[in-house]
Amino acid sequence: MTVLDYVYVSTFTMLGLGVLFTLYRLVRGPSVLDRVVCLNAISVLVVSAIAVEVAVRGDTAYVGLMVTVALLGFVGTLTAARFAERRAHDRG
């Protein structure tokens, strides 16, 4: 194994640990907005993992998948924030 292989393995390990810790917070999150932020963080971590995989393989076939996952995460977070804003406005 080369040094670069060790870097890839350590990067995937750190991304995996990040997903596990974020999933823990997703389950324990006290509010809905905490869970939405966790889902956004997981989508960012998934896009990062796909980017590392693209770097490992040297193939750009997954770039469209990266853009799609990033856009879905962004739109989902934006929709939840708008919903929370309207809910807070209706209450207050």
Side-chain angles (χ1 to χ4, degrees):
M1 270 175 91
T2 65
V3 175
L4 201 53
D5 291 334
Y6 288 117
V7 170
Y8 291 144
V9 169
S10 65
T11 303
F12 279 124
T13 303
M14 288 186 275
L15 287 172
L17 285 173
V19 169
L20 286 176
F21 290 143
T22 307
L23 282 174
Y24 173 75
R25 181 37 93 192
L26 180 72
V27 172
R28 291 242 342 160
S31 72
V32 173
L33 288 179
D34 290 334
R35 290 182 172 98
V36 169
V37 169
C38 287
L39 287 174
N40 188 26
I42 288 173
S43 72
V44 168
L45 290 169
V46 166
V47 169
S48 300
I50 295 170
V52 172
E53 183 66 25
V54 165
V56 168
R57 292 181 185 249
D59 185 18
T60 59
Y62 294 113
V63 173
L65 179 64
M66 286 173 40
V67 171
T68 303
V69 171
L71 283 174
L72 285 175
F74 174 73
V75 169
T77 303
L78 188 66
T79 303
R82 285 183 140 194
F83 175 72
E85 179 186 10
R86 286 184 185 168
R87 196 163 96 178
H89 184 266
D90 290 343
R91 285 185 183 175

